[in-house]
Amino acid sequence: MSRSQRREATNRPPAPARSEHAVMWRGKRFTLPSASEFPLAAIEAEEEGKVLLSLRLILGEQQYTTWRELARTAADAEHFSQTIMRELGRGNP
């Protein structure tokens, strides 16, 4: 159950929207815009199946370079994606 689903089930008001999120992954801090602030080019890249391009557009070049120094495999990319989705309150924790 997602955070928003838990809030709804317990009749708690929605959390205030945050314009930025931060996640720690392998000892590094990555900041992300809220999902509503993702660049449209990132959404288009995702729809075209260009997942890494989408991530690069969301993170920005500097953070993407840092991430690529830490991520070596498809499993690393999947784990990072799951970490992001948890922070954004999407998907199952």
Side-chain angles (χ1 to χ4, degrees):
M1 181 181 291
S2 72
R3 291 177 190 161
S4 61
Q5 289 169 326
R6 276 192 289 266
R7 274 196 288 294
E8 184 178 333
T10 59
N11 290 325
R12 284 191 279 165
R18 295 182 343 201
S19 61
E20 192 175 86
H21 300 268
V23 295
M24 291 297 293
W25 193 72
R26 297 197 175 163
K28 298 288 184 183
R29 184 177 188 270
F30 295 89
T31 57
L32 315 161
S34 67
S36 65
E37 297 295 320
F38 284 179
L40 286 178
I43 304 303
E44 291 171 341
E46 180 74 28
E47 288 177 349
E48 294 169 5
K50 298 176 181 177
V51 179
L52 294 179
L53 175 58
S54 178
L55 181 61
R56 174 178 269 165
L57 293 167
I58 291 167
L59 290 177
E61 287 300 321
Q62 185 176 4
Q63 289 192 114
Y64 184 81
T65 299
T66 300
W67 177 76
R68 278 297 288 124
E69 290 170 357
L70 300 170
R72 301 284 182 210
T73 66
D76 291 342
E78 179 65 24
H79 182 255
F80 186 72
S81 176
Q82 290 171 350
T83 302
I84 289 172
M85 296 312 277
R86 269 195 311 274
E87 174 59 30
L88 294 175
R90 301 191 186 293
N92 293 323

